[in-house]
Amino acid sequence: MARTVRQLLIDSLRTIGAIGAVEIPTGEEIGHALNELNNLTAMLDLKKLYPYVEVTTTGTLVPSQEFYTVGSGADIDTARPNSIITFAINYGGIYRPLKQESTISFDNEARVITFGSIPSVFVYRTKFPLSEIQIWPVPTEAFEYSMTSNIKQLEFGLNDEILLPSGYYPLLQYNLAELLLIHYPNPAKLQMISSTANRILGDMMRQNSKSGKLKNDFGGQRGKYDILTDSYTR
């Protein structure tokens, strides 16, 4: 069961001893902890340690509507995606994926050579704060759709669910606790919390590291040896 941001903030405050085991934090304490959590996710993103999450969103297309805004409170109501993986419509009881085109290809080719009344292509425009999906041909009926997207949630609200891969909850809990110790000093717990936070962060960095290529120490014209392809590169 996914845990909420509010639960994460309370866990971190309890970890550093800012509140008791059954104590509820004040609105000011929870609001400050939320700000620090969003600072933490931004720092993790700078280190390329914050993951994308695949989210599936369903709904129904509107007849004669070509453009759909995407984001919180938009036509397609979900967190603003960084990219769209698939967009499929239910046609004849089967979800059929639409072909995703680049902006140039969609504007200059797809809309010119594609005809009919059943959507077959789309383009995703990464506008801000709401992005946009444009579908072609324009639907003439209310097709059900299923959209799978990549989302990187860097700004949390109190009641948001933490939908992250395994290991990220303790990573956030203990690294947030370490940040909160600046504002809630507790010398008795500083070393333990810092050690735990650094260990989990180190584990995550190793998990996300990429294997390098083996170097050819003999030199010459053969370059470096790539163990994955069993070949030399220049």
Side-chain angles (χ1 to χ4, degrees):
M1 180 178 178
R3 285 174 281 190
T4 66
V5 169
R6 186 184 296 274
Q7 289 172 304
L8 172 65
L9 302 180
I10 292 174
D11 286 344
S12 293
L13 287 167
R14 285 175 177 164
T15 297
I16 63 174
I19 59 174
V22 295
E23 187 179 354
I24 302 299
T26 65
E28 183 177 346
E29 288 172 331
I30 207 81
H32 177 258
L34 177 61
N35 288 337
E36 290 291 9
L37 173 62
N38 287 328
N39 289 338
L40 174 61
T41 57
M43 289 187 287
L44 290 173
D45 192 43
L46 284 175
K47 295 180 179 181
K48 299 183 179 179
L49 290 175
Y50 201 75
Y52 290 97
V53 177
E54 289 187 9
V55 175
T56 299
T57 308
T58 59
T60 304
L61 298 180
V62 178
S64 302
Q65 183 173 332
E66 180 178 353
F67 297 90
Y68 296 82
T69 55
V70 187
S72 180
D75 297 328
I76 300 177
D77 190 4
T78 185
R80 180 184 177 277
N82 294 78
S83 62
I84 304 297
I85 302 173
T86 60
F87 193 99
I89 62 169
N90 188 339
Y91 179 69
I94 300 175
Y95 276 92
R96 304 175 186 272
L98 277 59
K99 181 182 179 183
Q100 183 168 187
E101 299 279 7
S102 67
T103 301
I104 294 175
S105 176
F106 184 89
D107 291 339
N108 296 326
E109 299 176 16
R111 297 187 74 229
V112 176
I113 64 175
T114 307
F115 303 95
S117 59
I118 302 173
S120 59
V121 297
F122 77 97
V123 63
Y124 180 57
R125 305 183 192 276
T126 53
K127 298 179 179 181
F128 191 85
L130 299 179
S131 53
E132 182 181 72
I133 287 179
Q134 185 178 357
I135 294 172
W136 192 261
V138 180
T140 57
E141 58 182 279
F143 293 105
E144 295 177 345
Y145 68 80
S146 176
M147 180 184 78
T148 302
S149 55
N150 268 329
I151 292 174
K152 183 183 287 188
Q153 188 172 6
L154 295 174
E155 289 285 335
F156 283 108
L158 279 179
N159 298 315
D160 290 345
E161 288 188 340
I162 299 178
L163 302 173
L164 294 174
S166 175
Y168 271 89
Y169 191 94
L171 172 72
L172 293 177
Q173 177 184 340
Y174 281 93
N175 280 270
L176 175 58
E178 187 176 33
L179 279 180
L180 292 174
L181 280 172
I182 298 173
H183 310 283
Y184 304 90
N186 189 338
K189 291 195 172 187
L190 175 60
Q191 183 176 356
M192 179 194 69
I193 291 174
S194 294
S195 175
T196 303
N198 290 331
R199 176 173 54 80
I200 298 174
L201 182 61
D203 290 342
M204 195 62 66
M205 292 177 70
R206 286 187 289 274
Q207 182 69 25
N208 283 275
S209 64
K210 295 182 179 180
S211 300
K213 294 180 179 179
L214 295 181
K215 182 179 180 181
N216 175 15
D217 294 328
F218 296 102
Q221 301 299 316
R222 303 186 71 183
K224 296 180 179 179
Y225 179 72
D226 185 348
I227 193 172
L228 299 178
T229 61
D230 192 25
S231 62
Y232 289 92
T233 60
R234 295 186 181 277

